Amino acid sequence: MNHYFADLHIHIGRTSTGRPVKITGAKSLTLENIIHASANMKGMDIVGIIDCHVPEVIDELECLIQKNVCAEHPEGGINFGKVTLFLGSEIEIYDDNCKGPIHVLVFLPTIEKMKRFSTWLTTRMTNLNLSSQRLYEKGKKLQEVIRQLDGLFIPAHVFTPFKSLYGKGIVKTLREVFDPGKIDAVELGLSSNTEMADQIKELHRYPFLTNSDAHSLQKIAREYQKIFMKQPTFEEFKRALQMEDGRGIECNYGLDPKLGKYYRTTCQKCFAKKEEGALQCPVCGHNKWTKGVFERLQELKDATRFHPGRPPYIQQVPLEYIPGIGSKTLVKLRNVFQTEMNILHDASLDDLKKIVPEKTAQLILKARKGELSIQAGGGGKYGKVTQSPS
């Protein structure tokens, strides 16, 4: 068995011809740039690109295979040498059973099956060339199709206030929308962690995933997991989700939820935190709020104990959040340690001090252990590192 770092929620901003896919994604977020940054800068072993249903993306992958830049593995996935790509798609569901929208991730083992899925979407989606588009079909029907194609079905960022399973307060149980037996895992999102999610009893049966939802190259691997399996293939990942023969998710690495954009309920106008029982913002008098993940889970929680078999959730702080690490310093660190995974997981204090001041080196070690002080985010505004506790 081997260990693999995986970030399974990365968007494509533009195709190789410059055509937009994720409108809010950076223009530099192309397929080849994602592969290069993930392997050589971030240190990922597996990436899930979730816009692979787009016909031009499929064409680009087939062209790269013909040029021997990459190759399909017999057990699924596209091998680029240092990194393996899992073919995914993010879909927006808004059917008769819910008042959504709800985002889900689906993953398929081969290009041939992704092409079949893309064809199926043609008559059920207004614009097949864009990311995260609304599906004019029931969620349970989508689950059936993905199961028939030997794929994986994963509700995405399940607690965020917008476009998620639990976020808007309309759905109280996943059974209202999905077949519980056809869900393979659950993606937590940036404003929650394992302990928070395990407050919901119906989620105890599913493995938790932590992914970046990257809209730029810089955001790749701000959340990820370490997976224990034989090789980086789609079928091995399936077995890992089922914890087959010792495989499994060994560790989740995610933001401290306080760093997420939607951790606490905040005023929609000035981002002030809502005080308990307040009807109006104490700062500006506005009376509309964006409900935070923390408060939403207080409404939903029904479990008296946590799932006993969960892997550890390590609350890491990405390097870009750490005071004293700007873009130039990050380049210096990468030049010495090659990848951000090496910096975050392996670099010693003495080695770090050769590149950055001791104070910054200490902050990196504290970030590694989840020991930094955080000012909570909310309402679409990220939290921030304030200072290191003494």
Side-chain angles (χ1 to χ4, degrees), residues 36-62:
H36 174 77
S38 298
N40 300 308
M41 297 167 60
K42 298 294 182 174
M44 289 292 102
D45 302 300
I46 300 169
V47 293
I49 296 182
I50 47 81
D51 298 314
C52 290
H53 65 278
V54 174
E56 192 170 330
V57 174
I58 293 173
D59 291 343
E60 189 173 345
L61 281 167
E62 290 187 321

Side-chain angles (χ1 to χ4, degrees), residues 258-278:
K258 292 177 184 177
L259 280 173
K261 292 196 294 184
Y262 300 109
Y263 181 66
R264 296 305 301 263
T265 298
T266 60
C267 173
Q268 290 185 3
K269 186 175 182 180
C270 74
F271 298 102
K273 303 297 185 296
K274 184 178 182 181
E275 297 177 358
E276 187 174 354

Side-chain angles (χ1 to χ4, degrees), residues 94-282:
Y94 201 138
D95 64 28
D96 296 337
N97 295 332
C98 72
K99 297 180 181 179
I102 295 171
H103 281 191
V104 300
L105 305 177
V106 300
F107 292 96
L108 296 169
T110 65
I111 290 179
E112 186 272 330
K113 289 186 175 179
M114 181 57 78
K115 289 171 76 171
R116 285 166 57 185
F117 180 59
S118 183
T119 300
W120 182 81
L121 290 175
T122 302
T123 58
R124 296 168 174 84
M125 188 173 283
T126 301
N127 193 339
L128 196 64
N129 296 301
L130 292 178
S131 173
S132 313
Q133 295 298 288
R134 180 175 174 180
L135 177 71
Y136 292 89
E137 184 62 85
K138 293 184 182 298
K140 291 181 179 178
K141 178 62 178 178
L142 175 62
Q143 287 182 287
E144 291 175 7
V145 170
I146 297 304
R147 189 57 58 95
Q148 291 166 5
L149 291 171
D150 302 315
L152 296 168
F153 183 93
I154 300 166
H157 44 74
V158 292
F159 302 116
T160 52
F162 310 107
K163 301 182 179 180
S164 74
L165 178 59
Y166 297 107
K168 287 189 70 176
I170 295 169
V171 175
K172 293 184 178 180
T173 171
L174 57 83
R175 289 177 176 80
E176 296 176 38
V177 190
F178 302 128
D179 178 346
K182 293 187 175 73
I183 294 174
D184 298 287
V186 168
E187 184 186 63
L188 298 182
L190 304 178
S191 297
S192 61
N193 60 18
T194 295
E195 184 175 336
M196 292 170 69
D198 255 347
Q199 295 177 101
I200 300 179
K201 190 174 182 179
E202 69 177 355
L203 296 183
H204 286 189
R205 66 187 288 186
Y206 306 114
F208 291 158
L209 298 177
T210 41
N211 299 311
S212 69
D213 196 356
H215 287 50
S216 67
L217 294 173
Q218 185 182 31
K219 299 299 184 185
I220 293 172
R222 61 180 169 179
E223 294 204 343
Y224 54 96
Q225 43 269 308
K226 183 162 63 173
I227 307 172
F228 194 50
M229 54 189 182
K230 287 186 177 180
Q231 54 186 341
T233 68
F234 186 85
E235 289 303 319
E236 276 291 299
F237 178 57
K238 258 188 166 181
R239 296 175 188 126
L241 291 180
Q242 297 164 3
M243 295 188 292
E244 183 179 309
D245 296 331
R247 299 171 181 83
I249 297 172
E250 185 174 350
C251 193
N252 294 102
Y253 295 93
L255 297 184
D256 183 314
K258 292 177 184 177
L259 280 173
K261 292 196 294 184
Y262 300 109
Y263 181 66
R264 296 305 301 263
T265 298
T266 60
C267 173
Q268 290 185 3
K269 186 175 182 180
C270 74
F271 298 102
K273 303 297 185 296
K274 184 178 182 181
E275 297 177 358
E276 187 174 354
L279 298 178
Q280 292 183 315
C281 175

Side-chain angles (χ1 to χ4, degrees), residues 312-330:
Y313 182 103
I314 306 299
Q315 294 187 168
Q316 275 191 168
V317 174
L319 291 169
E320 65 178 288
Y321 284 81
I322 297 175
I325 300 183
S327 57
K328 292 182 179 178
T329 300
L330 189 52

